[in-house]
Amino acid sequence: MAYHSFLLEPISCHAWNKDRTPLPSNSPQPQWPIPIPMTPWATITPLCLPGIDWAPESNRLVTCGTDRNAYVWTLKGNVWKPTLVILRINRAARCVKWSPKENKFAVGSGSRLISICYFEQENDWWVCKHIKKPIRSTVLSLDWHPNNVLLAAGSCDFKCRIFSAYIKEVEERPSPTPWGSKMPFGELMFESSSSCGWVHSVCFSASGSRVAWVSHDSTLCLADAGRKMAVSTLCTETLPLLAVTFITENSLVAAGHDCCPMLFTYEESQGALTFGGKLDVPKQSSQRGLTARERFQNLDKKASSDTANATLDTLHKNSISQISVLLGGKDKCSQFCTTGMDGGMSIWDVKSLESALKDLKIK
Amino acid sequence: RTGEALRAFHTAIRSSPGNSRNQAMKEQAQGTMLKVLTSFKSSEIEQAVNSLDRNGVDLLMKYIYKGFEKPTENSSAILLQWHEKALAVGGLGSIVRVLTARKTV
């Protein structure tokens, strides 16, 4: 596990390029640092950025901000040049994701809609189409299905939905999937019903037949298209999780306000989600015995002689807001990365975790 | 005597009017639940909590907080003991689900 402390403010989002040199961004501070290889940091423009995504093949960035715009950045020489994309939204944009084929991207916003943007060659600009119904509140997170057409969206109206974002101008008609066969633009393929909290993060599995989401009522849910879209819910004992990703087809890593990534396993035969263990187990520091004086002081101040922590044992000292798969893809992840509100970024190695935590079983 | 309290407890949990909009029915259930919870001896609470499943613990937590809202003489003391035991089993997540629940007991 490597921990890098970047900033004093929370990191709002991060993105990796193909070679895995990272790009964290932060808000609310207006400066936006970008690492360029060989030079430490260069500030680009004043923006308040909740969303950033890097397209590995075409090497383009897309950012979206509270200024209700999105910019597509292309690297010309050593400089990133932005192209404005007009999203036609009247609230801040919250999250942005390139599609797997990188010919379109989706932006979720507080305008209660999703903007799907694609490049129109003849007019040489980015055009967007909106998915509105039946979203009733801010869209907090997005994830694309590997077929480049289906899009999962988690929103503040407590639902996780899968929409079709089929744009006939840039792609062919998609073949049927377990989520449905008719996929005109904006078609609602799936809508969840169980959660009572804002859906913070959604994630498709590598095959696309499962989608998982975490919500503010401390639950983790998974819908399995292979089992007729049956939803399994796990009520966790932790504080709400903010980010989730698949690391194999059956295992998920999620993290949130407990500042520690955790493993969850999906048992397909029973359709059940189980908690697999915390992935951040601090080394056992030698326990100092309490003197009698300290014991009485504790009793006086805190009404208990327990030495339970006033400081966090975990690597991240504040909530983890984003998890991304670094190496291996979502089906055989070997490394993943977390960033948090403590301004730090950690890289976790799955093999070392498996050997260090003996009860951990990653299926 | 112990067995009776436990049985009353399970019955109250099972017959909780979860999705009801009938306010009178809900209040009656709350009253019954409070009576059952306060009739337990401190030493019996842990066993009762351990006999519940995950949904039961969440439901119990909701009733505990409902009981906090309308305190009667001595009710808070025993409810705090229930809270401690329920927290040990349900974790902070069960409290979060009390706060985010759209259907209250």
Side-chain angles (χ1 to χ4, degrees), chain A residues 119-161:
Chain A
F119 195 64
E120 208 172 64
Q121 203 57 47
E122 33 192 59
N123 290 329
D124 190 31
W125 68 350
W126 290 86
V127 176
C128 80
K129 282 195 180 164
H130 286 168
I131 299 179
K132 273 198 203 155
K133 296 202 172 106
I135 307 176
R136 292 244 197 72
S137 187
T138 306
V139 175
L140 286 178
S141 62
L142 297 165
D143 194 31
W144 287 91
H145 186 284
N147 74 355
N148 210 57
V149 170
L150 295 178
L151 180 67
S155 128
C156 280
D157 61 2
F158 319 134
K159 294 199 189 290
C160 167
R161 299 183 176 90

Side-chain angles (χ1 to χ4, degrees), chain B residues 80-101:
Chain B
L80 277 171
Q81 292 182 43
W82 275 100
H83 187 275
E84 183 191 352
K85 300 294 181 221
L87 182 61
V89 176
L92 291 168
S94 58
I95 300 183
V96 173
R97 280 184 285 282
V98 174
L99 296 171
T100 56

Side-chain angles (χ1 to χ4, degrees), chain A residues 92-275:
Chain A
R94 267 305 241 107
C95 50
V96 64
K97 271 272 165 77
W98 281 108
S99 70
K101 292 210 185 91
E102 298 170 18
N103 49 7
K104 25 177 205 185
F105 60 89
V107 181
S109 67
S111 302
R112 305 182 291 174
L113 50 84
I114 305 174
S115 301
I116 310 287
C117 307
Y118 60 97
F119 195 64
E120 208 172 64
Q121 203 57 47
E122 33 192 59
N123 290 329
D124 190 31
W125 68 350
W126 290 86
V127 176
C128 80
K129 282 195 180 164
H130 286 168
I131 299 179
K132 273 198 203 155
K133 296 202 172 106
I135 307 176
R136 292 244 197 72
S137 187
T138 306
V139 175
L140 286 178
S141 62
L142 297 165
D143 194 31
W144 287 91
H145 186 284
N147 74 355
N148 210 57
V149 170
L150 295 178
L151 180 67
S155 128
C156 280
D157 61 2
F158 319 134
K159 294 199 189 290
C160 167
R161 299 183 176 90
I162 299 183
F163 291 100
S164 160
Y166 167 62
I167 304 266
K168 61 182 192 296
E169 283 88 345
V170 298
E171 58 197 346
E172 291 159 15
R173 185 153 287 168
S175 41
T177 69
W179 297 101
S181 31
K182 280 208 159 37
M183 290 178 260
F185 180 80
E187 179 83 0
L188 180 65
M189 315 297 287
F190 167 76
E191 188 181 66
S192 76
S193 50
S194 40
S195 308
C196 291
W198 308 316
V199 177
H200 286 294
S201 173
V202 295
C203 186
F204 268 112
S205 68
S207 67
S209 64
R210 294 176 189 166
V211 67
W213 64 96
V214 284
S215 124
H216 202 70
D217 59 351
S218 291
T219 55
L220 165 69
C221 302
L222 188 149
D224 192 347
R227 292 177 83 241
K228 302 217 180 79
M229 304 196 207
V231 176
S232 327
T233 307
L234 176 66
C235 297
T236 67
E237 291 174 13
T238 58
L239 292 176
L241 299 160
L242 291 174
V244 67
T245 185
F246 277 88
I247 53 170
T248 68
E249 196 67 17
N250 291 319
S251 303
L252 302 109
V253 167
H257 289 293
D258 269 326
C259 318
C260 162
M262 299 177 222
L263 180 72
F264 295 89
T265 315
Y266 177 61
E267 202 68 49
E268 183 174 2
S269 49
Q270 298 161 345
L273 277 167
T274 46
F275 175 60

